[in-house]
Amino acid sequence: MKRAVFLPAAFLILAEACVSLPRDTGTNEVSTAVSQRTAQTVEWHEPATVDDPRIRALLQDELTADRAVAVAMANSPRLQATLAELGIARAELLQASIVRNPLFEAEVRFPRDPFRPFELRVAQTLVDLIQLPRRRAIGRATFEAAKLRVTSEVVRFAADVRAQHAELLAASQRVAQDRANLEAAKASAELAQRQHDVQNVTDLDLENEQAQYEQAKLDLAREERRLLVAREALVRAMGLRDASIDWRLPQTFPPLPATEQDQQQLEQLAATRRLDIDIARREVDIARQQVPLARLAALGDITVDAHYQRDAEGARTVGPGIEVPIPIFNTGAAARSRAEAEYLRARHTLNALLAESSSQLRAARATVEEARARVEYYRDVVVPRRRRIVELTTLEHNAMLVGPFQLLQARQNEAQARRDFVDAQLDYWAARNELDRALNGIITPTSFIPATNQLAIKRSTTLPEGGH
């Protein structure tokens, strides 16, 4: 009869406790999702003690934005730290999928007359066992949300690397333009000095040319500092430890794509790629499943046990027992109210993201279109016109119709137009990067308020008073 009582209960506990878990940490799914959104691969590996030959191979040719992202994906320790969150999330799923260990209690009483009395007791939390399937479902939903969050962080990381590469490329071209401006200003100042020596220009004209030369020096120094800062930012993003590695940037930005996607195409892409909306849906699912657990908060820990006892006379007894809390002071209202409020918040957050996504895409697309038009205008109108002015001024200077100062000024204006063209290209690629962020729904800490997976699982596994 004892076996008939205890063996089925033991098998029930073992059957509920045994749960199939993901064999890996989800890195394959994350890598696939990242590849679909960035055309780059990412893998989780142990910290490297030496430089990877693949990194040096990628740095041999011109470092394009795609190559910079590839280097960062394979080499950045910060990205690897982000991927390590998947292992933590899997451990949280494991914690949510197991039953608390039963308690064994033994008592020995004195004196012995004629037998030494003792009592053995094995107890198990019943509510913990009953709630295991629901906790397991919440743990799986939380694990899926964690994979989406890590994917979002990796995609955001790739977008940040692209932005830093564009900043560095623009800074490099601005330095080149400022050096050209400095040479022109230097030549103009030297010419003014020679003409002043023979009294062909006034003191005011000389001071103006000298002031422009000194300002050109300051402008170049400022841009060189920005270039250094931008370069180091990209070095950190790529995780390069060896500062002696020499790598080259392209001379110019890549050409504009032939066409831009219209709003309908962007909406279709966003419907399958928005990570923030997918995460919000997971949060709604997690919060919804938390509500039934919270409704049992007033019960606390219902414990069932089986005891075996021998008294002093040698009589033996065996039987079951149960401990049930009386919900007098804690009725579970606080836990229920919190769970329902979190569910409501998660639903409103999802609705907000759905409502805002189209607006974000329209704004990002409009910014791209304006930046593209500005690049095309500089490329097709402003820069060619400034170049034509230099050519015509050179002809007139050779014919002694204009002075050398007018020619130098024309060249300075052309250099400034090319510098503005660089800024316009930077604005365009930054706008494209922001459009990709909007398409992928790369979340920020303030974009929505997620229900943290640690708290969701902890409330489900530890079963504190009033917090199931």
Side-chain angles (χ1 to χ4, degrees):
M1 189 173 67
K2 296 175 184 176
R3 292 180 180 178
V5 173
F6 293 117
L7 289 181
F11 282 126
L12 176 62
I13 294 175
L14 292 175
E16 291 292 341
C18 295
V19 55
S20 61
L21 292 175
R23 294 185 178 274
D24 64 0
T25 58
T27 52
N28 291 334
E29 297 177 37
V30 170
S31 179
T32 300
V34 169
S35 178
Q36 293 172 349
R37 291 166 172 81
T38 66
Q40 299 286 349
T41 58
V42 62
E43 59 182 15
W44 187 18
H45 54 73
E46 295 293 328
T49 56
V50 296
D51 289 335
D52 192 338
R54 296 177 301 172
I55 305 303
R56 291 187 176 273
L58 287 171
L59 295 174
Q60 286 180 354
D61 297 329
E62 285 187 344
L63 188 67
T64 63
D66 289 338
R67 284 179 174 270
V69 174
V71 171
M73 287 285 194
N75 197 51
S76 172
R78 290 194 176 276
L79 182 62
Q80 293 300 314
T82 299
L83 293 175
E85 295 292 334
L86 292 172
I88 300 174
R90 184 178 180 274
E92 295 287 354
L93 172 58
L94 174 62
Q95 183 63 35
S97 303
I98 58 177
V99 179
R100 279 187 285 178
N101 294 324
L103 299 176
F104 174 75
E105 181 181 356
E107 294 183 6
V108 179
R109 301 181 181 90
F110 299 95
R112 50 183 298 178
D113 185 22
F115 299 99
R116 176 168 295 165
F118 65 87
E119 181 179 0
L120 305 178
R121 179 174 175 266
V122 177
Q124 176 67 39
T125 302
L126 183 61
V127 173
D128 187 37
L129 187 61
I130 294 173
Q131 291 182 337
L132 179 60
R134 194 178 299 275
R135 290 191 294 109
R136 186 183 302 166
I138 294 175
R140 289 188 178 277
T142 305
F143 182 57
E144 294 299 323
K147 289 191 289 187
L148 290 173
R149 286 194 186 92
V150 171
T151 301
S152 177
E153 290 299 323
V154 175
V155 175
R156 187 216 307 273
F157 175 81
D160 291 342
V161 173
R162 288 186 180 277
Q164 290 164 351
H165 181 273
E167 288 285 352
L168 176 59
L169 188 56
S172 175
Q173 294 183 52
R174 281 195 293 261
V175 166
Q177 295 298 332
D178 282 352
R179 285 174 179 165
N181 287 341
L182 178 63
E183 291 299 323
K186 179 180 179 181
S188 181
E190 291 175 349
L191 178 60
Q193 182 64 55
R194 290 195 298 269
Q195 292 192 348
H196 181 268
D197 293 341
V198 295
Q199 299 181 351
N200 286 338
V201 298
T202 65
D203 293 344
L204 178 59
D205 291 335
L206 175 62
E207 291 299 327
N208 283 331
E209 294 300 327
Q210 293 287 353
Q212 290 184 6
Y213 178 41
E214 300 302 332
Q215 185 61 46
K217 290 181 181 179
L218 294 174
D219 293 341
L220 177 60
R222 182 176 63 251
E223 292 302 330
E224 287 178 339
R225 177 189 61 82
R226 291 178 178 175
L227 175 62
L228 176 61
V229 172
R231 183 180 179 87
E232 291 302 324
L234 186 59
V235 166
R236 292 194 301 271
M238 293 190 297
L240 298 179
R241 300 174 179 84
D242 188 357
S244 64
I245 298 179
D246 187 23
W247 43 276
R248 297 176 293 108
L249 285 173
Q251 295 296 321
T252 60
F253 282 97
L256 300 181
T259 58
E260 303 291 344
Q261 294 173 319
D262 58 29
Q263 186 66 24
Q264 183 178 1
Q265 292 173 322
L266 294 176
E267 293 281 357
Q268 292 174 351
L269 279 176
T272 59
R273 294 172 58 174
R274 294 266 318 195
L275 291 167
D276 55 348
I277 293 178
D278 289 342
I279 294 173
R281 288 195 176 103
R282 293 289 182 182
E283 296 293 343
V284 170
D285 186 38
I286 294 170
R288 178 182 57 79
Q289 296 184 68
Q290 286 283 354
V291 173
L293 294 180
R295 290 171 181 169
L296 299 177
L299 296 179
D301 287 347
I302 299 178
T303 304
V304 294
D305 64 72
H307 73 274
Y308 176 77
Q309 180 178 358
R310 184 181 72 179
D311 58 22
E313 286 77 20
R316 303 171 185 266
T317 59
V318 61
I322 186 170
E323 293 180 3
V324 180
I326 302 175
I328 297 176
F329 305 108
N330 179 16
T331 62
R336 291 194 301 271
S337 178
R338 179 184 180 87
E340 291 169 357
E342 288 181 348
Y343 179 40
L344 181 63
R345 179 178 65 181
R347 291 167 57 194
H348 283 311
T349 299
L350 175 59
N351 291 336
L353 290 175
L354 291 172
E356 294 167 359
S357 61
S358 296
S359 175
Q360 292 173 352
L361 286 176
R362 287 193 297 270
R365 179 172 175 267
T367 304
V368 169
E369 289 181 344
E370 185 277 332
R372 182 187 181 96
R374 193 150 34 93
V375 170
E376 292 173 340
Y377 190 74
Y378 271 105
R379 182 193 64 192
D380 301 334
V381 178
V382 176
V383 173
R385 180 161 292 171
R386 286 296 181 185
R387 183 169 59 247
R388 178 63 174 163
I389 290 174
V390 170
E391 294 172 356
L392 294 175
T393 306
T394 302
L395 292 176
E396 293 192 0
H397 177 265
N398 293 338
M400 303 182 66
L401 298 177
V402 297
F405 291 113
Q406 287 84 350
L407 177 59
L408 291 172
Q409 184 62 46
R411 289 176 177 173
Q412 289 178 350
N413 291 337
E414 181 190 10
Q416 183 60 44
R418 293 184 180 278
R419 192 179 190 280
D420 294 339
F421 181 41
V422 169
D423 292 340
Q425 292 178 88
L426 175 60
D427 291 343
Y428 171 79
W429 289 108
R432 280 293 301 268
N433 204 22
E434 291 302 314
L435 178 59
D436 288 339
R437 290 174 185 266
L439 280 173
N440 293 317
I442 300 177
I443 60 174
T444 58
T446 58
S447 62
F448 73 100
I449 306 175
T452 57
N453 56 342
Q454 293 86 353
L455 289 179
I457 294 179
K458 190 178 295 184
R459 287 197 299 272
S460 301
T461 54
T462 58
L463 297 175
E465 183 179 4
H468 288 67

